[in-house]
Amino acid sequence: MKLIIVENYEEISKLAAINIKDVINKNPNAILGLATGGTPLGTYKELIKMNKENEIDFSKVTTVNLDEYIGLSERNTQSYRYFMNENLFNHVNIKKENTFIPNGLAKDIQEETNNYDKKIDELGGIDIQILGIGTNGHIAFNEPSDFLISGTHLTDLTQSTINANSRFFNSIDEVPKTAITMGLGQIMKSKKILLLAHGENKAEVIKEVLSGNITSKNPATMLQMHKDVTIIVDRTIGDLIKITDI
Ligand code: PGA
């Protein structure tokens, strides 16, 4: 694992966008694994800027997202499809039909999850996967548990995730309790992974990810088994994890 400590959130976003740009410029047909949440927003702003300045062409790019809430339609402003359209897809020259997000309204969830994994495999796998991380170590909606599930699956959200995500909803009661998420096995098949984190509340979990221990109680620790993971954090986390202690 490679750890890069930069000054602040802006620098994290710039560096992540440069990494994505490099992948696309090497392979215009690249498959991007994308994430939602607060963390990647800055990266998406940078990508939009690069696209407007003709530094990246999304016309042949395909994207697959990590997860989607159950029960929210794409018109619901809290759905991850809405988030991606608003924060990236509507502002770059990507073809909407090349953007994939699990369908949280699917009648047959099992079929939806199986097809999602099949689709990713058919595409040839993810070239670069962007990840945020929950303070509890979740990656996508792979929550701490006694065991982890490899493929895309239906999952319950933990109370801590529901609490954390309630900041985007009018009330905590509106936060869905279940979601479809890519599993850790599918995420680990990505050729390259970028994990982004900033702010002091992520310091402890990042320290665990770098600890050398792997536990399903912190799903992100699994990433230590991947051969090409770069973690980009801000100075706040860098100072708090006191890298020499690890
Ligand atoms: P955040 O969420 O980017 O909004 O902090 C990350 C996550 O929960 O995976």
Side-chain angles (χ1 to χ4, degrees), residues 6-20:
V6 295
E7 216 41 53
N8 52 33
Y9 177 69
E10 236 187 0
E11 296 295 315
I12 293 174
S13 304
K14 279 194 182 136
L15 189 53
I18 288 169
N19 272 271
I20 295 168

Side-chain angles (χ1 to χ4, degrees), residues 36-40 132-134 138-140 165 167-168 202:
T36 51
T39 305
I133 183 169
H138 75 210
I139 290 292
N165 290 7
R167 70 189 194 275
F168 300 113
K202 300 278 173 79

